[in-house]
Amino acid sequence: AQSVTQPDIHITVSEGASLELRCNYSYGATPYLFWYVQSPGQGLQLLLKYFSGDTLVQGIKGFEAEFKRSQSSFNLRKPSVHWSDAAEYFCAVGASGTYKYIFGTGTRLKVLA
Amino acid sequence: DAGVIQSPRHEVTEMGQEVTLRCKPISGHDYLFWYRQTMMRGLELLIYFNNNVPIDDSGMPEDRFSAKMPNASFSTLKIQPSEPRDSAVYFCASSLGRGYGNTIYFGEGSWLTVV
């Protein structure tokens, strides 16, 4: 069965600084990988996803993520964080042939002005 | 286009009462999901439907929980009787499935408090 780990519960960065949120997954084959963002009191919104092909994926709001099979990772990055990026970020993994996506426990991002 | 619509947004109920959460998926989507989010357990998939048919309900915590999808535009999640440990945010989500891995669109959630 697949699983996903987000090792950082909270991250604080200054506005304008770069950001990297970590995600490690466990799955025997190439998984479907997703990053979602959740603003306070809101549902989850898809930032980007990876199925196959180019391992560097571009998403909305200036985010990107890189799939590294050797490290079983799918880290989310943004070169310059904006105050509006403060939210909770979820990595999710899905196995081929199922919609049972497994979500990580989330990383809460705080942005300092 | 309207997104996934959930109601009620907030509900406070007493232990033992029946709770019904409602969901209208995005028009044309053929997959519907119910998730529960808590601090302790994170985001958990409870059940999902394809073309109104339940596909996997292995995440439903116990018999007090039931979900139905009588038609393509409506689903309910019912808890009877409710208990304080059911307090959580319940999300409905939908997807247009043409192969797995498609984007799942979430509603804004129903915040349930059982006292």
Side-chain angles (χ1 to χ4, degrees), chain B residues 53-103:
Chain B
V53 176
I55 302 300
D56 189 328
D57 65 355
S58 60
M60 296 286 263
E62 48 196 277
D63 292 345
R64 297 185 296 106
F65 286 69
S66 62
K68 294 182 179 179
M69 192 167 186
N71 58 63
S73 59
F74 184 67
S75 177
T76 60
L77 178 67
K78 187 174 293 187
I79 308 172
Q80 168 62 20
S82 58
E83 297 182 2
R85 60 193 169 120
D86 301 330
S87 298
V89 184
Y90 291 83
F91 287 103
C92 179
S94 70
S95 179
L96 179 60
R98 289 175 183 166
Y100 299 99
N102 288 302
T103 302

Side-chain angles (χ1 to χ4, degrees), chain A:
Chain A
Q2 68 268 36
S3 65
V4 61
T5 301
Q6 293 181 249
D8 303 307
I9 298 175
H10 294 97
I11 284 187
T12 300
V13 300
S14 298
E15 191 171 19
S18 63
L19 172 70
E20 182 168 28
L21 303 182
R22 295 184 290 166
C23 173
N24 294 100
Y25 70 91
S26 174
Y27 182 60
T30 299
Y32 299 134
L33 294 163
F34 309 83
W35 274 100
Y36 280 83
V37 60
Q38 184 180 27
S39 298
Q42 302 296 314
L44 281 73
Q45 180 185 22
L46 180 70
L47 287 175
L48 48 79
K49 58 185 178 181
Y50 172 80
F51 296 156
S52 63
D54 193 346
T55 56
L56 186 62
V57 181
Q58 301 297 321
I60 63 171
K61 304 185 180 186
F63 286 93
E64 66 178 27
E66 186 171 10
F67 170 63
K68 293 185 177 180
R69 182 189 303 275
S70 61
Q71 299 177 18
S72 297
S73 69
F74 189 57
N75 295 347
L76 182 71
R77 300 194 296 248
K78 187 169 185 177
S80 178
V81 170
H82 188 263
W83 64 266
S84 60
D85 293 324
E88 189 152 21
Y89 292 80
F90 293 90
C91 181
V93 60
S96 175
T98 175
Y99 263 109
K100 289 188 72 172
Y101 298 167
I102 304 299
F103 284 79
T105 51
T107 298
R108 187 172 297 276
L109 174 66
K110 182 177 180 180
V111 180
L112 301 177

Side-chain angles (χ1 to χ4, degrees), chain B residues 27-70:
Chain B
S27 178
H29 282 191
D30 55 351
Y31 281 85
L32 183 138
F33 309 82
W34 283 101
Y35 284 87
R36 178 174 66 177
Q37 186 178 40
T38 61
M39 290 292 293
M40 293 297 295
R41 300 175 67 89
L43 196 64
E44 303 173 280
L45 177 63
L46 300 178
I47 184 172
Y48 75 91
F49 296 82
N50 177 221
N51 292 324
N52 314 336
V53 176
I55 302 300
D56 189 328
D57 65 355
S58 60
M60 296 286 263
E62 48 196 277
D63 292 345
R64 297 185 296 106
F65 286 69
S66 62
K68 294 182 179 179
M69 192 167 186

